[in-house]
Amino acid sequence: MPQPDATVFVVDDDESVREALASLVRSAGMGVATYASAQDFLAGGGPRAEGPSCLVLDVQLPGLSGLDLQRRMAEANLEIPIIFITGHGDVPTSVRAMKAGAVEFLTKPFGDADLLTAIQEAIRRDRTTRREHAGLSELRGRYQALTPREREVMGRVVSGLLNKQVAAQLGTSEITVKVHRGQVMKKMQARSLADLVRMSERLGLYTKV
């Protein structure tokens, strides 16, 4: 299925392999960017695609190996699904790569269909991750829109305190707490207390007072 908004990054030191993979990716309706080494990839700023993307990465590379690049990306929080390809596959290396989050580990020569299937899965994962990040960013925006007092009320409410208990802790009236609580529910777009608690957990807020 063509995915014109998707980009596949290819890192392989063999020019003929890069060209063949680039042609295959384009034939599937996706954009492609190729690099001869891990250093070139990092020098280019790493993955900066606007839409979903993935990385097809050779294990054996001059300088930084594919596994080294995978580790560097993890350290730099560059989240992009990786498909490893290699002409010298071995079980320990593949296990290490998969444990570190690789989508697939293909040994050359592999079929075009196998690689495209792996790429489709990687793109699917990246779409999901991007949606989750976008949702969390929106949720953080809602939380930032709360006043300091509304955040205090929210923190106590999601911890399980009743309105009168929150009022006692904050030194205000129960009716005032109800008003703040209503504003919190409205601004956070929470349909229920359980919904608000889940939002709090996603935001990593403390639920103990």
Side-chain angles (χ1 to χ4, degrees), residues 112-123:
D112 290 353
D114 291 334
L115 179 58
L116 288 178
T117 295
I119 287 174
Q120 296 288 355
E121 171 60 20
I123 294 297

Side-chain angles (χ1 to χ4, degrees), residues 156-175:
R156 286 162 172 77
V157 166
V158 298
S159 73
L161 295 184
L162 301 175
N163 288 344
K164 62 181 179 181
Q165 294 173 311
V166 176
Q169 286 196 2
L170 297 181
T172 188
S173 68
E174 188 174 346
I175 188 65

Side-chain angles (χ1 to χ4, degrees), residues 9 11 34-48 64 69 72-73 78:
F9 298 96
V11 181
T34 63
Y35 304 86
S37 69
Q39 289 91 330
D40 287 347
F41 178 74
L42 292 173
R48 290 292 183 269
L64 282 176
L69 178 57
R72 289 277 188 93
M73 290 172 65
L78 291 175

